[in-house]
Amino acid sequence: MSAMREELHALVDRLPDDRVQPVLALVRENLETAGRRERALAIMERVQERMRGVTGVDEELDRLREGARG
């Protein structure tokens, strides 16, 4: 186990039970968000590969990526 995981484990062990649920909710939300982002990027990469050579596709996908961040 990495040092950061050990620290997280130790900190969670010190929390009272009523404070664990909000921490779990944050971790779960982070995992769900990361999973959605990874799936979306994989889809965009497949689309970009299939559309390679079509005028304007790379620029449009870049625009969509940037728009999602702003």
Side-chain angles (χ1 to χ4, degrees):
M1 188 180 319
S2 73
M4 287 189 298
R5 288 180 183 273
E6 288 179 15
E7 180 183 6
L8 177 61
H9 187 88
L11 291 171
V12 169
D13 281 347
R14 292 173 44 196
L15 286 174
D17 285 345
D18 63 324
R19 301 292 303 196
V20 173
Q21 193 282 327
V23 173
L24 282 174
L26 286 172
V27 172
R28 288 175 180 143
E29 180 181 329
N30 188 297
L31 288 172
E32 290 172 11
T33 300
R36 284 193 304 266
R37 185 175 299 123
E38 288 172 8
R39 288 188 300 274
L41 287 173
I43 290 168
M44 289 187 79
E45 288 172 3
R46 287 196 304 267
V47 168
Q48 193 168 18
E49 184 61 34
R50 287 182 181 184
M51 300 298 291
R52 191 160 312 281
V54 176
T55 304
V57 170
D58 289 341
E59 293 81 6
E60 182 65 15
L61 287 172
D62 288 340
R63 186 186 67 76
L64 289 170
R65 273 191 205 107
E66 293 302 317
R69 292 181 191 158

